[in-house]
Amino acid sequence: MIWEVLGAVLFGLGLSWAAARLLPHRLPSHRTVFTTGPLGSLFGAYLTHMALGPGHVLATLAGALLVGAVLLSLLIRPTSRRLRQVMPS
């Protein structure tokens, strides 16, 4: 169980680092990004572990990675050009 938690936190930090490095202009503050990634991955690991039960470490880590990526993707803001196209003046 401890390996699942540590793996989920490391996956979350890795996802946060990649998102902050690749999309700095479309994300909120780094504090928000680096909090959402690990917490989302921990929630994904917990959810997957409760659904599958013990003994599925790789599946639990895959669930952690998936939920962490989904929660980080919810932080991405649209570009200003696209926003102007959607909202007519």
Side-chain angles (χ1 to χ4, degrees):
M1 180 73 179
I2 190 73
W3 296 111
E4 293 173 355
V5 171
L6 288 174
V9 169
L10 289 176
F11 276 157
L13 286 172
L15 285 171
S16 298
W17 177 80
R21 183 155 169 89
L22 295 174
L23 301 167
H25 57 285
R26 295 186 62 191
L27 288 170
S29 69
H30 284 271
R31 174 182 270 169
T32 304
V33 173
F34 281 100
T35 302
T36 303
L39 287 179
S41 291
L42 276 174
F43 178 70
Y46 173 75
L47 189 68
T48 309
H49 182 79
M50 287 298 124
L52 297 178
H56 300 280
V57 176
L58 293 179
T60 301
L61 292 177
L65 189 65
L66 183 67
V67 174
V70 167
L71 285 178
L72 281 173
S73 74
L74 293 175
L75 294 177
I76 297 175
R77 296 180 290 208
T79 59
S80 60
R81 188 183 76 196
R82 182 174 173 206
L83 187 62
R84 281 188 233 130
Q85 290 174 354
V86 173
M87 298 178 60
S89 14

